[in-house]
Short mmCIF file of all heavy atoms in Angstrom, two decimals:
data_model
loop_
_atom_site.label_atom_id
_atom_site.label_comp_id
_atom_site.label_asym_id
_atom_site.label_seq_id
_atom_site.Cartn_x
_atom_site.Cartn_y
_atom_site.Cartn_z
N ARG N 12 16.11 36.13 -42.44
CA ARG N 12 16.47 36.63 -41.08
C ARG N 12 15.19 36.75 -40.24
O ARG N 12 14.33 37.56 -40.47
CB ARG N 12 17.03 38.04 -41.25
CG ARG N 12 18.40 38.00 -41.99
CD ARG N 12 18.85 39.42 -42.26
NE ARG N 12 20.09 39.36 -43.01
CZ ARG N 12 20.06 39.56 -44.36
NH1 ARG N 12 18.97 39.77 -45.02
NH2 ARG N 12 21.24 39.51 -44.98
N LEU N 13 15.05 35.80 -39.32
CA LEU N 13 13.90 35.73 -38.45
C LEU N 13 14.33 35.47 -36.97
O LEU N 13 15.28 34.78 -36.72
CB LEU N 13 12.99 34.55 -38.88
CG LEU N 13 12.31 34.58 -40.19
CD1 LEU N 13 11.59 33.28 -40.43
CD2 LEU N 13 11.30 35.72 -40.20
N THR N 14 13.51 36.00 -36.09
CA THR N 14 13.53 35.58 -34.70
C THR N 14 12.21 34.91 -34.43
O THR N 14 11.17 35.44 -34.83
CB THR N 14 13.70 36.80 -33.77
OG1 THR N 14 14.93 37.49 -34.13
CG2 THR N 14 13.78 36.35 -32.34
N ILE N 15 12.26 33.71 -33.84
CA ILE N 15 11.09 32.92 -33.63
C ILE N 15 10.89 32.64 -32.15
O ILE N 15 11.80 32.22 -31.44
CB ILE N 15 11.20 31.60 -34.43
CG1 ILE N 15 11.35 31.87 -35.90
CG2 ILE N 15 10.00 30.70 -34.18
CD1 ILE N 15 11.78 30.73 -36.72
N TYR N 16 9.64 32.82 -31.67
CA TYR N 16 9.31 32.61 -30.30
C TYR N 16 8.11 31.60 -30.21
O TYR N 16 7.23 31.69 -31.09
CB TYR N 16 8.76 33.86 -29.58
CG TYR N 16 9.69 35.08 -29.62
CD1 TYR N 16 9.63 35.93 -30.72
CD2 TYR N 16 10.61 35.28 -28.62
CE1 TYR N 16 10.39 37.10 -30.77
CE2 TYR N 16 11.39 36.44 -28.68
CZ TYR N 16 11.33 37.28 -29.69
OH TYR N 16 12.10 38.42 -29.71
N ASP N 17 8.10 30.76 -29.25
CA ASP N 17 6.92 29.97 -28.92
C ASP N 17 6.13 30.82 -27.92
O ASP N 17 6.65 31.19 -26.86
CB ASP N 17 7.30 28.64 -28.28
CG ASP N 17 7.93 27.66 -29.24
OD1 ASP N 17 7.45 27.55 -30.40
OD2 ASP N 17 8.90 27.02 -28.92
N VAL N 18 4.82 31.08 -28.26
CA VAL N 18 4.03 31.92 -27.44
C VAL N 18 2.63 31.18 -27.23
O VAL N 18 2.35 30.21 -27.91
CB VAL N 18 3.79 33.31 -28.00
CG1 VAL N 18 5.12 34.07 -28.01
CG2 VAL N 18 3.16 33.25 -29.38
N ARG N 19 1.85 31.73 -26.34
CA ARG N 19 0.47 31.19 -26.13
C ARG N 19 -0.51 32.42 -26.13
O ARG N 19 -0.11 33.48 -25.66
CB ARG N 19 0.32 30.43 -24.88
CG ARG N 19 1.15 29.16 -24.91
CD ARG N 19 0.92 28.33 -23.72
NE ARG N 19 1.24 29.07 -22.48
CZ ARG N 19 0.72 28.76 -21.29
NH1 ARG N 19 -0.04 27.73 -21.15
NH2 ARG N 19 1.07 29.46 -20.22
N GLY N 20 -1.70 32.21 -26.57
CA GLY N 20 -2.62 33.33 -26.56
C GLY N 20 -3.98 32.86 -27.03
O GLY N 20 -4.19 31.68 -27.43
N HIS N 21 -4.92 33.76 -27.06
CA HIS N 21 -6.23 33.47 -27.65
C HIS N 21 -6.94 34.76 -28.03
O HIS N 21 -6.60 35.82 -27.61
CB HIS N 21 -7.14 32.67 -26.65
CG HIS N 21 -7.69 33.53 -25.53
ND1 HIS N 21 -8.89 34.19 -25.62
CD2 HIS N 21 -7.18 33.86 -24.29
CE1 HIS N 21 -9.09 34.84 -24.47
NE2 HIS N 21 -8.11 34.67 -23.69
N GLY N 22 -7.81 34.57 -29.04
CA GLY N 22 -8.56 35.73 -29.52
C GLY N 22 -9.97 35.15 -29.84
O GLY N 22 -10.64 34.54 -28.99
N ARG N 23 -10.35 35.24 -31.08
CA ARG N 23 -11.67 34.70 -31.50
C ARG N 23 -11.70 33.13 -31.40
O ARG N 23 -12.78 32.57 -31.29
CB ARG N 23 -12.02 35.09 -32.91
CG ARG N 23 -12.32 36.57 -33.00
CD ARG N 23 -12.81 36.94 -34.40
NE ARG N 23 -13.04 38.33 -34.42
CZ ARG N 23 -13.17 38.99 -35.60
NH1 ARG N 23 -12.95 38.37 -36.69
NH2 ARG N 23 -13.37 40.23 -35.56
N GLN N 24 -10.54 32.53 -31.42
CA GLN N 24 -10.48 31.11 -31.39
C GLN N 24 -10.99 30.57 -30.06
O GLN N 24 -11.49 29.46 -29.97
CB GLN N 24 -9.05 30.61 -31.69
CG GLN N 24 -8.93 29.21 -32.12
CD GLN N 24 -7.47 28.89 -32.51
OE1 GLN N 24 -6.61 29.69 -32.39
NE2 GLN N 24 -7.29 27.71 -33.02
N LYS N 25 -10.79 31.34 -28.99
CA LYS N 25 -11.30 31.09 -27.66
C LYS N 25 -10.76 29.85 -26.89
O LYS N 25 -10.93 29.79 -25.70
CB LYS N 25 -12.81 31.01 -27.61
CG LYS N 25 -13.53 32.22 -28.19
CD LYS N 25 -13.43 33.34 -27.18
CE LYS N 25 -14.34 34.46 -27.66
NZ LYS N 25 -13.77 35.75 -27.61
N GLY N 26 -10.25 28.90 -27.52
CA GLY N 26 -9.74 27.72 -26.79
C GLY N 26 -10.69 26.50 -26.93
O GLY N 26 -11.64 26.56 -27.78
N HIS N 27 -10.49 25.53 -26.15
CA HIS N 27 -11.33 24.33 -26.23
C HIS N 27 -11.23 23.55 -24.88
O HIS N 27 -10.48 23.91 -24.02
CB HIS N 27 -10.87 23.43 -27.37
CG HIS N 27 -9.48 23.01 -27.23
ND1 HIS N 27 -8.39 23.78 -27.67
CD2 HIS N 27 -8.94 21.91 -26.73
CE1 HIS N 27 -7.28 23.12 -27.48
NE2 HIS N 27 -7.53 22.00 -26.86
N LYS N 28 -12.12 22.57 -24.73
CA LYS N 28 -12.13 21.79 -23.55
C LYS N 28 -11.44 20.44 -23.80
O LYS N 28 -11.49 19.88 -24.92
CB LYS N 28 -13.51 21.46 -23.10
CG LYS N 28 -14.25 22.71 -22.63
CD LYS N 28 -15.59 22.39 -22.11
CE LYS N 28 -16.25 23.71 -21.78
NZ LYS N 28 -17.07 23.98 -20.89
N GLU N 29 -10.68 19.98 -22.80
CA GLU N 29 -10.02 18.67 -22.92
C GLU N 29 -10.31 17.92 -21.64
O GLU N 29 -10.71 18.45 -20.66
CB GLU N 29 -8.47 18.89 -23.06
CG GLU N 29 -8.07 19.44 -24.40
CD GLU N 29 -6.55 19.38 -24.59
OE1 GLU N 29 -5.86 18.82 -23.72
OE2 GLU N 29 -6.15 19.94 -25.63
N VAL N 30 -10.13 16.60 -21.73
CA VAL N 30 -10.33 15.70 -20.63
C VAL N 30 -9.00 15.03 -20.28
O VAL N 30 -8.36 14.52 -21.13
CB VAL N 30 -11.41 14.64 -20.93
CG1 VAL N 30 -11.49 13.68 -19.75
CG2 VAL N 30 -12.76 15.28 -21.28
N TYR N 31 -8.59 15.11 -18.98
CA TYR N 31 -7.37 14.49 -18.53
C TYR N 31 -7.69 13.73 -17.27
O TYR N 31 -8.17 14.36 -16.29
CB TYR N 31 -6.33 15.54 -18.29
CG TYR N 31 -4.99 14.99 -17.79
CD1 TYR N 31 -4.15 14.27 -18.65
CD2 TYR N 31 -4.61 15.20 -16.48
CE1 TYR N 31 -2.98 13.76 -18.17
CE2 TYR N 31 -3.40 14.64 -16.02
CZ TYR N 31 -2.58 13.94 -16.87
OH TYR N 31 -1.40 13.39 -16.43
N ARG N 32 -7.48 12.46 -17.25
CA ARG N 32 -7.73 11.56 -16.16
C ARG N 32 -9.15 11.75 -15.63
O ARG N 32 -9.41 11.87 -14.41
CB ARG N 32 -6.72 11.79 -15.04
CG ARG N 32 -5.40 11.30 -15.43
CD ARG N 32 -4.43 11.31 -14.31
NE ARG N 32 -3.16 10.82 -14.74
CZ ARG N 32 -2.07 10.66 -13.99
NH1 ARG N 32 -2.17 10.99 -12.74
NH2 ARG N 32 -0.99 10.23 -14.44
N GLY N 33 -10.13 11.91 -16.55
CA GLY N 33 -11.53 11.95 -16.19
C GLY N 33 -11.98 13.35 -15.82
O GLY N 33 -13.18 13.55 -15.59
N GLN N 34 -11.11 14.33 -15.73
CA GLN N 34 -11.45 15.70 -15.43
C GLN N 34 -11.48 16.54 -16.65
O GLN N 34 -10.48 16.55 -17.42
CB GLN N 34 -10.46 16.30 -14.38
CG GLN N 34 -10.43 15.59 -13.03
CD GLN N 34 -11.71 15.94 -12.26
OE1 GLN N 34 -12.34 16.94 -12.47
NE2 GLN N 34 -12.02 15.02 -11.37
N GLU N 35 -12.55 17.27 -16.84
CA GLU N 35 -12.63 18.21 -17.96
C GLU N 35 -12.03 19.52 -17.55
O GLU N 35 -12.29 20.05 -16.44
CB GLU N 35 -14.09 18.35 -18.34
CG GLU N 35 -14.26 19.16 -19.65
CD GLU N 35 -15.70 19.19 -20.09
OE1 GLU N 35 -16.15 18.20 -20.73
OE2 GLU N 35 -16.40 20.14 -19.77
N TYR N 36 -11.28 20.10 -18.40
CA TYR N 36 -10.69 21.48 -18.17
C TYR N 36 -10.67 22.29 -19.45
O TYR N 36 -10.62 21.74 -20.52
CB TYR N 36 -9.33 21.38 -17.46
CG TYR N 36 -8.26 20.78 -18.31
CD1 TYR N 36 -7.35 21.56 -18.96
CD2 TYR N 36 -8.10 19.41 -18.37
CE1 TYR N 36 -6.35 21.01 -19.75
CE2 TYR N 36 -7.12 18.82 -19.16
CZ TYR N 36 -6.20 19.64 -19.83
OH TYR N 36 -5.22 19.12 -20.59
N GLU N 37 -10.66 23.58 -19.24
CA GLU N 37 -10.67 24.52 -20.33
C GLU N 37 -9.20 24.87 -20.71
O GLU N 37 -8.42 25.25 -19.91
CB GLU N 37 -11.35 25.82 -19.94
CG GLU N 37 -11.53 26.83 -21.01
CD GLU N 37 -12.65 26.49 -22.01
OE1 GLU N 37 -13.54 25.74 -21.66
OE2 GLU N 37 -12.58 26.98 -23.16
N VAL N 38 -8.96 24.74 -22.01
CA VAL N 38 -7.63 25.20 -22.57
C VAL N 38 -7.89 26.50 -23.31
O VAL N 38 -8.41 26.50 -24.40
CB VAL N 38 -6.99 24.20 -23.47
CG1 VAL N 38 -5.72 24.65 -24.09
CG2 VAL N 38 -6.76 22.85 -22.76
N ASP N 39 -7.60 27.62 -22.63
CA ASP N 39 -7.92 28.93 -23.28
C ASP N 39 -6.71 29.71 -23.77
O ASP N 39 -6.86 30.69 -24.46
CB ASP N 39 -8.77 29.80 -22.38
CG ASP N 39 -8.11 30.14 -21.09
OD1 ASP N 39 -6.99 29.60 -20.80
OD2 ASP N 39 -8.59 30.99 -20.31
N LEU N 40 -5.52 29.22 -23.47
CA LEU N 40 -4.32 29.79 -24.03
C LEU N 40 -3.72 28.79 -24.98
O LEU N 40 -3.14 27.79 -24.57
CB LEU N 40 -3.31 30.16 -22.96
CG LEU N 40 -3.77 31.33 -22.01
CD1 LEU N 40 -2.77 31.48 -20.94
CD2 LEU N 40 -3.90 32.56 -22.82
N LEU N 41 -3.93 29.03 -26.30
CA LEU N 41 -3.45 28.10 -27.32
C LEU N 41 -2.02 28.38 -27.79
O LEU N 41 -1.63 29.51 -27.87
CB LEU N 41 -4.45 28.19 -28.50
CG LEU N 41 -5.90 27.89 -28.11
CD1 LEU N 41 -6.80 28.18 -29.29
CD2 LEU N 41 -6.07 26.45 -27.65
N PRO N 42 -1.28 27.34 -28.15
CA PRO N 42 0.05 27.54 -28.62
C PRO N 42 0.08 28.26 -29.98
O PRO N 42 -0.72 27.90 -30.89
CB PRO N 42 0.65 26.11 -28.71
CG PRO N 42 -0.56 25.22 -28.79
CD PRO N 42 -1.66 25.92 -28.11
N LYS N 43 0.95 29.20 -30.10
CA LYS N 43 1.18 29.95 -31.32
C LYS N 43 2.68 30.14 -31.50
O LYS N 43 3.46 29.85 -30.60
CB LYS N 43 0.51 31.31 -31.31
CG LYS N 43 -0.96 31.33 -31.02
CD LYS N 43 -1.76 30.87 -32.22
CE LYS N 43 -3.24 30.93 -31.90
NZ LYS N 43 -4.02 30.52 -33.06
N VAL N 44 3.05 30.67 -32.65
CA VAL N 44 4.49 31.00 -32.95
C VAL N 44 4.51 32.45 -33.33
O VAL N 44 3.67 32.94 -34.10
CB VAL N 44 5.05 30.11 -34.03
CG1 VAL N 44 6.45 30.58 -34.45
CG2 VAL N 44 5.10 28.67 -33.63
N LYS N 45 5.46 33.17 -32.74
CA LYS N 45 5.66 34.59 -33.14
C LYS N 45 6.95 34.78 -33.92
O LYS N 45 7.98 34.30 -33.45
CB LYS N 45 5.71 35.42 -31.84
CG LYS N 45 5.89 36.92 -32.13
CD LYS N 45 5.90 37.74 -30.83
CE LYS N 45 6.11 39.23 -31.08
NZ LYS N 45 6.12 39.99 -29.87
N LEU N 46 6.84 35.30 -35.05
CA LEU N 46 7.98 35.62 -35.87
C LEU N 46 8.26 37.12 -35.82
O LEU N 46 7.32 37.92 -35.91
CB LEU N 46 7.74 35.29 -37.36
CG LEU N 46 7.18 33.88 -37.64
CD1 LEU N 46 6.88 33.78 -39.14
CD2 LEU N 46 8.22 32.83 -37.28
N GLU N 47 9.46 37.47 -35.78
CA GLU N 47 9.88 38.90 -35.90
C GLU N 47 11.01 39.04 -36.91
O GLU N 47 11.91 38.22 -36.96
CB GLU N 47 10.42 39.44 -34.53
CG GLU N 47 9.35 39.64 -33.50
CD GLU N 47 9.93 40.29 -32.20
OE1 GLU N 47 11.17 40.57 -32.16
OE2 GLU N 47 9.16 40.47 -31.31
N THR N 48 10.88 40.09 -37.70
CA THR N 48 11.96 40.36 -38.67
C THR N 48 11.94 41.86 -38.98
O THR N 48 10.93 42.53 -38.83
CB THR N 48 11.76 39.54 -39.95
OG1 THR N 48 12.92 39.69 -40.81
CG2 THR N 48 10.54 39.92 -40.74
N ILE N 49 13.08 42.37 -39.37
CA ILE N 49 13.21 43.77 -39.77
C ILE N 49 13.51 43.78 -41.26
O ILE N 49 14.35 42.99 -41.77
CB ILE N 49 14.37 44.46 -39.07
CG1 ILE N 49 14.28 44.27 -37.49
CG2 ILE N 49 14.49 45.91 -39.42
CD1 ILE N 49 13.09 44.89 -36.91
N VAL N 50 12.82 44.59 -41.98
CA VAL N 50 13.03 44.71 -43.50
C VAL N 50 13.13 46.14 -43.88
O VAL N 50 12.65 47.08 -43.26
CB VAL N 50 11.81 44.06 -44.22
CG1 VAL N 50 11.68 42.61 -43.92
CG2 VAL N 50 10.52 44.80 -43.92
N PRO N 51 13.91 46.41 -44.98
CA PRO N 51 13.92 47.76 -45.59
C PRO N 51 12.52 48.13 -46.05
O PRO N 51 11.72 47.27 -46.39
CB PRO N 51 14.88 47.58 -46.74
CG PRO N 51 15.60 46.29 -46.60
CD PRO N 51 14.74 45.44 -45.74
N ASP N 52 12.24 49.39 -46.10
CA ASP N 52 10.89 49.89 -46.46
C ASP N 52 10.48 49.34 -47.82
O ASP N 52 9.30 48.99 -48.02
CB ASP N 52 10.88 51.39 -46.54
CG ASP N 52 10.98 52.02 -45.13
OD1 ASP N 52 10.67 51.32 -44.13
OD2 ASP N 52 11.35 53.18 -45.07
N ASP N 53 11.37 49.16 -48.77
CA ASP N 53 11.02 48.76 -50.11
C ASP N 53 10.67 47.27 -50.21
O ASP N 53 10.06 46.81 -51.23
CB ASP N 53 12.11 49.11 -51.13
CG ASP N 53 13.41 48.41 -50.85
OD1 ASP N 53 13.66 48.02 -49.66
OD2 ASP N 53 14.25 48.26 -51.79
N ARG N 54 10.95 46.51 -49.18
CA ARG N 54 10.61 45.07 -49.19
C ARG N 54 9.40 44.69 -48.30
O ARG N 54 9.00 43.57 -48.22
CB ARG N 54 11.80 44.19 -48.72
CG ARG N 54 13.01 44.37 -49.58
CD ARG N 54 13.75 43.13 -50.00
NE ARG N 54 12.96 41.94 -50.22
CZ ARG N 54 13.41 40.76 -49.82
NH1 ARG N 54 14.51 40.60 -49.18
NH2 ARG N 54 12.67 39.66 -50.05
N LEU N 55 8.84 45.71 -47.63
CA LEU N 55 7.76 45.47 -46.68
C LEU N 55 6.59 44.71 -47.24
O LEU N 55 6.17 43.72 -46.75
CB LEU N 55 7.30 46.79 -46.05
CG LEU N 55 6.12 46.71 -45.14
CD1 LEU N 55 6.50 45.88 -43.87
CD2 LEU N 55 5.57 48.04 -44.76
#
């Protein structure tokens, strides 16, 4: 039983630089996946 979201963020990873059509730009929000689930205390 999961709920799954596509999210973006950054922490220590900080992002990276990319080049598109000769222009360099900073990608600082990286794609991540967020999972949510509820469990009974004994399965935590």
Side-chain angles (χ1 to χ4, degrees):
R12 295 173 183 97
L13 292 174
T14 301
I15 300 169
Y16 305 90
D17 289 318
V18 296
R19 294 185 305 158
H21 74 90
R23 289 187 182 160
Q24 200 173 4
K25 302 287 189 226
H27 59 276
K28 293 184 185 211
E29 290 189 6
V30 177
Y31 179 72
R32 294 189 177 180
Q34 295 289 336
E35 188 174 278
Y36 65 98
E37 184 77 24
V38 177
D39 60 351
L40 293 175
L41 301 172
K43 302 287 182 177
V44 173
K45 180 178 180 180
L46 309 174
E47 288 184 1
T48 189
I49 308 296
V50 297
D52 292 338
D53 62 337
R54 298 226 34 222
L55 175 65

